[in-house]
């Protein structure tokens, strides 16, 4: 094992948990930085939540309830979503506390989450008559020579459109969203086709953008191409091989400032200086 790949511990790390199953988030984390993947999924170092992650989870929970109301044609008042948000806020905090800078930051973040929901629901982008086939749908697939693949899709429309929600600091730059999220899109398409026997009719990324005045940006995409499906499966094989071989190469970038394992990474003794 090279100095570059040697982990902090003396013993050979147990990779069984990391390979118990594959998911879009595991693959994307590994693509982002192999060492971060090591800390999160192999060493399994617990990390607290961040303001951005917390906001994202709360917004997802509110949209989930909103979609359930749409699905069941249940009558609801927009203001009721605020109660859903407040409940989700407290529940998520109990599960994963956030180290807020101060009380004002926590309050501002909560209001920002509400402003995003308001912007999304009143954006006119949602067709209340769209049929819904599933919300937070868990799908599993067994692919030859790979650990089981698992994913949870935010929303699937009756016309086989897959929707994923994102909260982001800025709008996706022109034409990049599809590439940036290609692993996730490929995984979702594989899961959908495996579980339904049908091809998705398209995929959508709904970005809720945390600008001063919140914005909503929808990226609509064609079904994932056969070539991209093949590439995603190839990526999974490379991922499994790299995890098994103990490749924990780091990928320093501006993203390190927000990495929850920055301290552990700085203390890493096996890496090249
Ligand atoms: S600090 Fe940067 S290089 Fe280190 S694990 Fe995190 S993302 Fe990777």
């Amino acid at each position: 094992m090279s100095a570059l790949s040697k982990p902090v511990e003396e013993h050979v790390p147990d990779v069984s948990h990391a390979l118990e199953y594959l998911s879009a988030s595991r693959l994307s984390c590994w693509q982002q930085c192999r060492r971060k993947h090591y800390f999160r999924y192999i060493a399994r170092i617990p990390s607290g939540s961040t303001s951005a992650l917390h906001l994202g989870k709360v917004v997802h929970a509110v949209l989930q309830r909103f979609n359930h109301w749409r699905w069941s044609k249940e009558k609801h008042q927009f203001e009721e979503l605020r109660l859903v948000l407040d409940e989700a806020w407290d529940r998520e905090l109990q599960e994963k506390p956030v180290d807020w800078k101060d009380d004002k930051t926590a309050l501002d973040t909560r209001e920002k989450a509400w402003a995003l929901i308001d912007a999304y629901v009143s954006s006119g982008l949602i067709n209340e008559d769209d049929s819904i086939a599933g919300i937070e749908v868990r799908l599993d697939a067994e692919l030859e020579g790979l650990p089981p693949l698992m994913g949870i899709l935010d929303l699937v429309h009756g016309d086989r459109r897959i929707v994923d929600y994102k909260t982001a600091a800025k709008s996706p730059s022109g034409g990049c969203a599809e590439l940036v999220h290609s692993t996730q899109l490929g995984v979702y398409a594989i899961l959908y086709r495996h579980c339904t026997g049908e091809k998705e009719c398209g995929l959508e990324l709904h970005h809720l953008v945390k600008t001063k005045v919140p914005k909503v940006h929808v990226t609509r995409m064609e079904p994932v191409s056969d070539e991209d499906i093949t590439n995603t499966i190839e990526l999974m094989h490379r991922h499994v091989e790299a995890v098994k071989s103990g490749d924990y190469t780091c990928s320093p970038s501006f993203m390190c400032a927000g990495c929850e394992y920055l301290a552990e990474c700085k203390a890493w003794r096996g890496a090249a200086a």
Side-chain angles (χ1 to χ4, degrees), residues 18-19 22-38 40-42 183 231-232 234-251:
L19 296 180
L22 302 182
S23 68
S25 43
R26 288 178 171 215
L27 290 163
S28 299
C29 175
W30 175 77
Q31 281 181 296
Q32 201 182 89
C33 176
R34 293 174 186 207
R35 190 165 302 165
K36 186 173 177 175
H37 178 275
Y38 165 79
R40 188 179 287 173
Y41 297 110
I42 299 174
T183 297
N231 287 342
T232 307
E234 174 60 24
L235 176 81
M236 291 185 215
H237 282 284
R238 288 186 192 181
H239 166 78
V240 171
E241 281 164 27
V243 170
K244 282 183 178 166
S245 70
D247 179 356
Y248 309 127
T249 311
C250 66
S251 303

Side-chain angles (χ1 to χ4, degrees), residues 36-102:
K36 186 173 177 175
H37 178 275
Y38 165 79
F39 288 135
R40 188 179 287 173
Y41 297 110
I42 299 174
R44 297 202 292 166
I45 298 172
S47 65
S49 193
T50 63
S51 156
L53 279 176
H54 181 70
L55 179 142
K57 281 189 176 177
V58 169
V59 166
H60 268 79
V62 178
L63 292 178
Q64 185 181 355
R65 181 72 64 85
F66 176 64
N67 285 330
H68 272 290
W69 284 342
R70 289 173 60 206
W71 196 8
S72 61
K73 308 263 184 241
E74 203 178 313
K75 288 258 175 290
H76 62 270
Q77 299 290 324
F78 173 67
E79 293 70 30
E80 289 174 63
L81 287 178
R82 179 67 205 216
L83 294 177
V84 178
L85 184 144
D86 289 339
E87 278 169 19
W89 184 272
D90 295 341
R91 190 177 59 244
E92 291 295 337
L93 272 185
Q94 271 180 3
E95 239 172 68
K96 271 205 164 191
V98 178
D99 189 12
W100 301 106
K101 197 169 123 208
D102 49 40

